[in-house]
Amino acid sequence: MPQQIQGLEFGGPSQSPEMDDQAYGLYGEVEEEFAQDAEEFAKGLDSLTLTRKTPAEKRAEIFKLVDSYYHYAANKVHALRTSQGQVSRSGPRHSYDASSQDSMDLDDAENGPQSPASAQRLRNLELEAQTWDMLRRLLPLRYPNNESFKPTRHDVSRFHSSSELWHDFLQSDTTAQERKAILECLQTSADESRTDIDELVRDYQQRAERGDIIAYGWLHTRHYIKMQKNVNGWSGALDPNASDVRQILQSGSTPLVTQLDPDVAARQGRKLQPQDEYFERAIWLGCYELLRRGRSIAEIRDWCVERTEVWRAVSMSAMSLSKEETDDRFPRDPLSMLLWRRTCFALARQGGTDDFERAVYGLLSGDIASVEKICGGWDDYVYAHYNALLRSQFDAYLIRRSPEASATITQAFPAFNAVQFHGDAASAGERLVKSLEGNPKTSTEARTPMKTLQAAIISNGLDQYTYDLGLALGKSANKYAVSPLIPNFVDPLDEDFDDTKFADLNDHNSLRILVHVYLILSSLDQLQGGLDVELSDRVKAQQNVVSAYVSTLRLMGLTDLMPLYCNQMQEDRCFFTLSRNVTGVLEDSERDILLRLMEKLGMDIGEFVKFQPRSLLQQYPDADERSPPFGRFTVLSNEQPTLKYGRPLKPDFLGEPPERLDPTDEHLIQSLEWFLLVDGLWDEVFYYGTAIYKRFLKQFNLNAARALSERVRCAEIFKRKAGIVYSDDSDVSWFEEVRASAAAGSLEDHGIGEDEVAKAQNYFEMESLVRAMDSMETIASSEAIVQDPVEKVNRDFWSNVGREVKALKGYMRPVMNNWLMESIEEDEDFTYLRDAYLPEMIIGYVSVLHFTGMALTRDNLLECMELSSVIARKDADVAAVIMKAGRMKELVEGFANCSKALAISSSDKKTAAGINSKRMMREHGWTRELWTVKK
C-alpha cells in the first residue's frame, strides 16, 4: 500500500481488515505503474541535462520534451481504453455502423460496468494528457525565439479574403494565438474523452419513434400534415392564419406548423410533432458536439448529409474554428464575415426552438449566455468564453481594417463583444478561472488539483501557482510535526490561505506531473533570464514540490532517480534534500551507484559527502548545558568486593542495544560511511568523525558510539583512503606502527605523513575507548554467568573470555597513555571526556584483571600490579584525573585486593587462555614464586 508522508518521517498505514488480496493487488499495480511513469519522465528530463546547446536549441529541446510527455500520456489513455474495450471516440460514426451496434452492445454486456477505480484512473490519465497538451501548445507562444514577426498587410482592400485576414490576424496577435491554442486543446480533449456522438443522441433518436431511420427530416409532422391535406382536400402551402387550418392543426396550447422549411417553427411560433422535436434536438445536439469537438467541415458535412440536413452544415461552414486550421473556410468577402456573425448572434439570442440550436449559433457568433445554458463542466465554460473572446477579437480586427465599409453592418446588426465583457486582456483569463471557482455548476471541479493547475496554465499564472502549491505542501507537511525537508512558509494565523485545491503529499501521480511542470518552467525562465539568482523564500516555497517528489521517489524505491531532481534545486537545498532521502540506502554498491550518477550530473560528490555530517550537526546541535562529568558513566556495581572476583562489574552497563538507533544518531553514522566511498577527504572524515564521537560520548550515548566503532573503524579508513591494510585491527599496535612509519617517511607513497596521523589520532583514541567498553561489558556479563550456580561453563567459554581480555588490554593501552591529551586544536570537550570516562574505566579495568587473574591465569594479577606502577609514574597522566575525581582510594583498594588474591593464588588452572609465556615474564621481570606463600 502506498506510504504516507508526514514531514521528514514516512510510514505506511497498517493493513485494514477490510482490505482483501484484490485491493492489495491494485495497490501493487499502481506502484508499478508509478515507477514506470517516473522512470520514463526522468529519462526525458535527464536528456536535457546532457545537452550542451545554444539557448534556442535548448528551448526547442524543452518543447520537444513537453511534446513527448503529452504523447506518452495520450498513448496510455489509448491503451487503457483499448484494454477496457472502448473504441476510439475521435472518429465519425455513420449509419452503416448500426449493424455492428448490436455486437457492441453484446460486448458491453459481457465486459460489465466499468469499476469506479478504473473509471477514475482513465479520467486521471485524460486530465494529464490534456494538461501536457495545453503546455505543448502554449509554451512555444509564451517563450518564443527572438525573431521578428512576419509583417502583416496594412493596406485596406476588400479583395483580401477573410482567410488571409485571419492568418494575418493570428500572426499579429499573440493573445489570439494563445486563445486559439486553448480552444484546440479543449476540442481535442473533448473529442477524445466525450461519449460518442451517435451514442449521445441515441436516447433522443429512440424517442423520435423512427427506428433506424436517421434521415428525411420531420417524418411525423410531414405525415400528419399530408394526412390532413388528404382528409380535408387541401392543396398547396397551408395558410397558418386560416381558421380551419388553425382549428385542425391545433395541438394543445401551441398549434402545429403548416410548412416544413427549416426555420418554420421560429417564424410561425408553432411547434412540431413531439417525436420530431426529439429528432430536432438530436440533430442540434450532434451539431453542437461536432463544433465543440473541433471536427472538420468535411466531417460536419458528412454527418449532416447522412441525415439529409446538409443546410445545417452550410450554416456552420463560414468559421467553425476546427482543430485543423487549414480546414476552416471563410467567406471571400470580409464584410460577409461580419454580417454572418451578427446573423448567428440574432439566431442565438432570438431564434431557434431549442437550447442546443441556440448554443450552436452562440458558438458560431461568439455569444456566451446562449452557450452557457448547456455547458456541462469546467471545460465547456472555458471553451465558451475563449471562443467568444477569439471571435470578438477577429471581428474587431476586421472592423479596424475596413472601418468605413463595416460601419453600416455594425450599426444595423449588433453582436456580443466578449473582449469588452471581460475587460483587460492581460487579466481576462485569471478573472474567468476565478469566476468558475465561484460558479455553483463548476466550483467543485474547478477546485480539484488538476483543474487548478490547468487554470494557472490558461491564465498564465504558473509562477504564482507553483508558489501557492509550495505553500500548500509545506503547510501539509508540517501539520503534525516540523518538516525540515518541506518547510512551511504559511503564517499560522493566515486563515485565508486555502490549500484544499492543491495536490497533497500522498497524491504521487499529481506530484510527478507538478514537479515536471515546475522544472520545465524554471528551465524556460532561466533561458529567458528571469530566474531568481538568490534563493528567496518564494523560490524555496516553489521548490517544495521538488523536495516532496524526491521523497516520493524514495518511498517507491526509486532512489537512483533522486539525484536528477535534487540537482534541479539551488544551493544547499540540493544536498540537504538528497542527504535526508538516502538514509535508507545501506549497501555500499547502491551508494556507489548514486555517487556515480551524481558525478554524471556534474554534482560535486565530495561536497555532498561533507555536507551530510555538517548539516546534521548544525540542525541537531549539542545542548549548551551539560551535567558534571563525574558519576555519569559507571561500570561497577554496588556489591562488596570479594577476594575471588574482586569488585563486581555491572552486566550490560552499556545498556540493551536498541533495535534501531535514534534517527539522528543513525544518520550521523551513515554520513561517515559515505566518506569511505569517496577518494580523498582525509582531514574531513577525521574532523567530522571526531566531532560525532565527541557528541555521542558527551551525551553518554554509548550504544550509538559502539555502533560507530563497529561500522566506521579507523583501520578501515586507513585501508580505503591510504591503502594501508592490517589484518587484525583489534591489535591496536597497528596505529603506533603507522605513526612510526609516517615519521620515518616510508608512507609517502600512500599520502600519509605525520600530520595525517595526527589528524586521525583523536578519532582512533575515542574508538579505542568505546571498543574497550564493549570488551569490558562482555567480560562483565561472563563474570555474572560464572557466579550463577545454575550456569555451566566449558572450555570454549573460557577461551572466549580470554580473547576478550586480550582485546581489552590492547584497547586500554591508548586509553592509559595520554588519552585525548594531544590534538590539533585545544578542545575543552576532551577534558570533559577524560574526567567522565578515565576514572571509571581504569578502576573497572583493575576489577577485570582481578576476576580473570583468579579465573584464568595469575598473569592477569601480575599485570594489575604492573598497572599500579605505571599509574604511579611521574609522567603518567591518569593519576591526576583520578585524583580530580576523588577516586584514588577506590583504585588503591582495588590494587590491594589484587595483591591479596595474588598472594593466595598458587596455581594456574587455565593457563592456555592467559598470558603465560617465559618471554613475557622476562620482559616484565615477573616471578610467580615471589607471591607464593609457603608454610
Side-chain angles (χ1 to χ4, degrees):
M1 185 180 293
Q3 292 174 295
Q4 296 183 350
I5 301 177
Q6 283 302 339
L8 177 60
E9 300 300 323
F10 304 82
S14 59
Q15 179 174 348
S16 168
E18 291 81 10
M19 278 289 181
D20 56 17
D21 293 339
Q22 183 178 1
Y24 273 93
L26 178 60
Y27 280 119
E29 291 177 8
V30 170
E31 291 181 0
E32 183 178 349
E33 181 182 11
F34 175 84
Q36 181 180 352
D37 294 344
E39 289 173 354
E40 189 68 25
F41 273 57
K43 188 187 303 181
L45 185 65
D46 188 37
S47 65
L48 291 182
T49 64
L50 300 177
T51 57
R52 298 291 182 267
K53 298 182 178 180
T54 64
E57 292 172 331
K58 190 72 175 289
R59 185 183 291 105
E61 288 292 323
I62 295 173
F63 296 153
K64 183 179 178 181
L65 176 63
V66 177
D67 198 58
S68 70
Y69 287 166
Y70 163 71
H71 287 293
Y72 179 79
N75 289 337
K76 286 191 66 176
V77 172
H78 175 73
L80 183 57
R81 286 197 184 122
T82 302
S83 68
Q84 294 178 353
Q86 299 183 28
V87 296
S88 175
R89 299 172 182 176
S90 58
R93 288 267 309 277
H94 302 282
S95 59
Y96 45 77
D97 294 332
S99 60
S100 63
Q101 189 62 49
D102 292 340
S103 62
M104 290 178 61
D105 291 342
L106 182 59
D107 290 340
D108 291 341
E110 292 176 350
N111 292 334
Q114 188 179 14
S115 69
S118 297
Q120 186 58 49
R121 182 185 173 204
L122 177 59
R123 178 58 180 158
N124 291 340
L125 286 174
E126 289 173 344
L127 285 170
E128 179 179 353
Q130 184 184 43
T131 300
W132 290 119
D133 193 22
M134 282 185 183
L135 287 169
R136 76 186 184 114
R137 295 175 188 273
L138 291 173
L139 290 181
L141 300 175
R142 293 173 178 172
Y143 295 90
N145 286 322
N146 295 323
E147 298 177 355
S148 58
F149 284 108
K150 179 181 176 181
T152 58
R153 299 183 180 91
H154 296 287
D155 58 318
V156 179
S157 172
R158 290 190 51 151
F159 295 100
H160 291 151
S161 67
S162 296
S163 59
E164 290 176 324
L165 292 173
W166 171 253
H167 177 74
D168 290 347
F169 161 67
L170 290 178
Q171 288 296 313
S172 64
D173 194 325
T174 56
T175 302
Q177 293 174 30
E178 287 191 18
R179 288 169 178 170
K180 180 74 163 62
I182 291 169
L183 288 179
E184 290 174 350
C185 174
L186 294 172
Q187 289 169 340
T188 299
S189 60
D191 207 16
E192 289 292 332
S193 62
R194 287 183 186 243
T195 305
D196 181 82
I197 294 178
D198 287 350
E199 180 68 25
L200 202 61
V201 303
R202 182 189 294 184
D203 181 57
Y204 292 133
Q205 192 71 28
Q206 291 176 346
R207 294 186 185 185
E209 298 178 3
R210 50 200 297 143
D212 294 332
I213 301 174
I214 61 173
Y216 308 117
W218 304 327
L219 294 179
H220 293 275
T221 303
R222 180 186 296 112
H223 174 73
Y224 186 80
I225 293 175
K226 186 175 181 180
M227 181 184 68
Q228 293 301 326
K229 282 186 175 182
N230 291 333
V231 171
N232 295 287
W234 296 335
S235 61
L238 301 181
D239 181 4
N241 296 319
S243 59
D244 54 344
V245 172
R246 182 184 302 174
Q247 181 178 3
I248 293 173
L249 296 183
Q250 183 75 26
S251 176
S253 59
T254 306
L256 200 67
V257 298
T258 62
Q259 298 170 13
L260 298 175
D261 57 284
D263 64 341
V264 64
R267 186 180 70 253
Q268 294 184 350
R270 293 169 174 255
K271 67 177 184 179
L272 305 174
Q273 286 284 64
Q275 298 91 330
D276 289 335
E277 288 183 343
Y278 284 120
F279 173 78
E280 186 75 1
R281 168 164 282 217
I283 294 288
W284 285 118
L285 172 58
C287 291
Y288 170 80
E289 287 293 328
L290 289 166
L291 290 174
R292 174 65 181 83
R293 302 178 192 206
R295 294 290 182 85
S296 67
I297 290 297
E299 290 177 289
I300 294 174
R301 183 187 61 245
D302 290 345
W303 197 85
C304 292
V305 166
E306 191 177 13
R307 289 156 177 78
T308 63
E309 299 285 336
V310 68
W311 69 269
R312 301 179 197 254
V314 173
S315 69
M316 293 185 285
S317 63
M319 187 179 174
S320 64
L321 294 183
S322 64
K323 297 192 296 288
E324 293 137 11
E325 186 174 343
T326 57
D327 186 74
D328 271 331
R329 301 179 183 182
F330 297 83
R332 179 71 181 171
D333 186 353
L335 296 181
S336 299
M337 190 77 226
L338 294 174
L339 183 59
W340 174 82
R341 177 175 180 250
R342 282 155 177 76
T343 304
C344 289
F345 177 68
L347 289 171
R349 289 293 181 93
Q350 303 168 12
T353 59
D354 184 86
D355 285 342
F356 285 108
E357 179 183 0
R358 287 185 283 270
V360 166
Y361 289 114
L363 285 178
L364 295 170
S365 66
D367 186 33
I368 292 178
S370 58
V371 181
E372 280 190 330
K373 289 182 179 180
I374 63 166
C375 286
W378 189 89
D379 286 13
D380 287 341
Y381 277 89
V382 173
Y383 185 85
H385 283 262
Y386 271 77
N387 171 75
L389 284 166
L390 183 60
R391 291 178 185 272
S392 295
Q393 277 184 276
F394 184 50
D395 191 81
Y397 177 80
L398 293 178
I399 293 173
R400 288 196 303 272
R401 292 295 300 263
S402 304
E404 296 180 0
S406 61
T408 303
I409 295 175
T410 56
Q411 292 173 5
F413 302 98
F416 179 72
N417 190 334
V419 174
Q420 186 178 7
F421 174 80
H422 278 281
D424 180 30
S427 58
E430 182 180 358
R431 287 196 301 275
L432 170 60
V433 295
K434 284 291 184 183
S435 69
L436 295 181
E437 288 187 13
N439 188 329
K441 290 185 177 180
T442 57
S443 60
T444 300
E445 184 182 6
R447 298 176 64 80
T448 58
M450 291 310 296
K451 285 306 176 187
T452 304
L453 170 60
Q454 290 182 6
I457 295 172
I458 288 173
S459 61
N460 199 13
L462 278 172
D463 182 70
Q464 182 64 36
Y465 170 83
T466 53
Y467 173 64
D468 291 339
L469 171 65
L471 296 181
L473 293 174
K475 181 180 178 182
S476 176
N478 292 269
K479 187 175 183 179
Y480 301 106
V482 175
S483 169
L485 269 177
I486 310 173
N488 182 24
F489 297 93
V490 179
D491 187 341
L493 301 178
D494 184 6
E495 299 179 356
D496 295 333
F497 180 74
D498 181 14
D499 60 342
T500 58
K501 59 184 180 180
F502 297 98
D504 62 34
L505 293 167
N506 296 314
D507 189 350
H508 299 162
N509 274 310
S510 291
L511 288 177
R512 171 181 55 80
I513 299 168
L514 293 167
V515 73
H516 289 92
V517 171
Y518 168 70
L519 294 177
I520 286 167
L521 264 292
S522 297
S523 299
L524 289 171
D525 286 335
Q526 190 173 10
L527 289 175
Q528 297 286 95
L531 190 66
D532 290 341
V533 177
E534 297 183 359
L535 191 59
S536 63
D537 282 350
R538 184 178 185 85
V539 176
K540 289 178 182 177
Q542 289 176 325
Q543 289 183 354
N544 272 352
V545 67
V546 185
S547 186
Y549 185 65
V550 171
S551 298
T552 296
L553 293 176
R554 178 171 71 86
L555 284 172
M556 294 298 181
L558 302 173
T559 54
D560 56 325
L561 302 183
M562 296 191 301
L564 173 64
Y565 293 91
C566 290
N567 194 37
Q568 310 298 321
M569 291 189 280
Q570 296 182 10
E571 297 184 6
D572 285 350
R573 191 167 187 188
C574 164
F575 288 155
F576 182 85
T577 302
L578 185 56
S579 65
R580 297 306 188 267
N581 280 285
V582 296
T583 54
V585 182
L586 303 179
E587 298 295 331
D588 280 355
S589 58
E590 295 180 7
R591 289 173 174 173
D592 193 59
I593 289 174
L594 285 176
L595 291 172
R596 301 291 78 79
L597 289 171
M598 292 169 66
E599 280 187 315
K600 179 182 175 184
L601 292 166
M603 301 170 71
D604 190 331
I605 60 174
E607 285 299 321
F608 168 70
V609 169
K610 290 186 292 183
F611 177 85
Q612 292 191 62
R614 181 175 72 243
S615 65
L616 285 166
L617 291 171
Q618 290 174 350
Q619 185 179 350
Y620 304 104
D622 267 341
D624 294 334
E625 297 182 3
R626 59 190 181 194
S627 57
F630 303 114
R632 290 290 306 277
F633 170 67
T634 58
V635 302
L636 301 164
S637 71
N638 295 324
E639 299 178 21
Q640 293 297 316
T642 64
L643 191 60
K644 184 176 182 181
Y645 297 110
R647 188 172 178 181
L649 300 175
K650 292 195 301 186
D652 300 324
F653 59 79
L654 292 179
E656 186 70 22
E659 291 185 9
R660 292 187 183 90
L661 294 175
D662 176 82
T664 302
D665 299 338
E666 173 64 27
H667 299 165
L668 283 168
I669 296 172
Q670 287 186 18
S671 72
L672 287 183
E673 291 176 327
W674 283 87
F675 276 93
L676 301 178
L677 304 175
V678 179
D679 294 336
L681 305 179
W682 182 272
D683 294 355
E684 290 82 358
V685 66
F686 286 114
Y687 172 79
Y688 289 115
T690 300
I692 293 171
Y693 258 130
K694 281 198 308 181
R695 175 192 179 93
F696 291 161
L697 293 175
K698 283 162 58 180
Q699 296 175 350
F700 300 92
N701 189 354
L702 302 183
N703 278 308
R706 176 164 54 185
L708 176 56
S709 71
E710 293 170 350
R711 291 162 57 177
V712 191
R713 295 273 174 91
C714 186
E716 185 67 17
I717 298 175
F718 274 77
K719 175 183 175 181
R720 297 279 191 102
K721 296 193 175 295
I724 300 174
V725 181
Y726 286 91
S727 58
D728 182 14
D729 68 341
S730 64
D731 182 0
V732 295
S733 61
W734 72 267
F735 192 82
E736 292 305 320
E737 292 178 17
V738 169
R739 188 198 300 273
S741 299
S746 59
L747 296 179
E748 290 182 358
D749 292 343
H750 295 272
I752 300 299
E754 290 184 279
D755 289 342
E756 283 70 29
V757 176
K759 288 181 170 63
Q761 180 172 334
N762 295 145
Y763 185 88
F764 167 75
E765 289 174 337
M766 285 188 280
E767 179 186 293
S768 297
L769 173 74
V770 175
R771 297 181 74 175
M773 290 180 189
D774 190 37
S775 292
M776 189 177 291
E777 184 189 53
T778 302
I779 296 169
S781 299
S782 301
E783 181 181 348
I785 292 174
V786 171
Q787 296 183 45
D788 188 345
V790 179
E791 296 288 345
K792 303 296 182 182
V793 296
N794 54 27
R795 189 177 186 85
D796 290 340
F797 172 85
W798 289 113
S799 296
N800 291 331
V801 173
R803 282 191 291 271
E804 289 295 338
V805 172
K806 180 181 178 181
L808 175 61
K809 291 176 181 178
Y811 298 142
M812 286 300 294
R813 284 205 299 274
V815 174
M816 299 282 294
N817 184 22
N818 295 321
W819 187 72
L820 299 183
M821 293 284 285
E822 301 173 3
S823 60
I824 301 297
E825 296 179 358
E826 186 175 347
D827 192 336
E828 63 179 13
D829 288 335
F830 288 160
T831 303
Y832 180 85
L833 295 180
R834 285 173 54 82
D835 292 344
Y837 290 100
L838 285 184
E840 190 75 8
M841 285 296 295
I842 293 170
I843 296 172
Y845 183 43
V846 170
S847 181
V848 168
L849 292 176
H850 187 148
F851 161 64
T852 56
M854 296 298 291
L856 291 175
T857 172
R858 293 174 68 203
D859 291 347
N860 292 325
L861 296 173
L862 292 172
E863 282 201 53
C864 186
M865 295 298 95
E866 177 67 17
L867 178 62
S868 65
S869 64
V870 171
I871 294 175
R873 287 203 307 259
K874 290 184 178 181
D875 60 345
D877 63 289
V878 296
V881 178
I882 296 173
M883 288 290 291
K884 182 180 178 181
R887 304 190 67 179
M888 185 58 76
K889 179 182 178 182
E890 293 179 60
L891 181 61
V892 172
E893 289 176 350
F895 286 137
N897 290 333
C898 278
S899 66
K900 292 178 184 178
L902 185 59
I904 66 171
S905 177
S906 59
S907 64
D908 286 295
K909 298 179 180 179
K910 305 175 184 65
T911 56
I915 302 174
N916 190 18
S917 68
K918 293 180 180 179
R919 181 180 62 83
M920 291 293 293
M921 300 289 286
R922 286 196 305 271
E923 288 178 358
H924 292 279
W926 296 344
T927 172
R928 298 188 186 92
E929 287 71 15
L930 176 66
W931 296 92
T932 301
V933 179
K934 296 182 179 180
K935 297 181 180 179

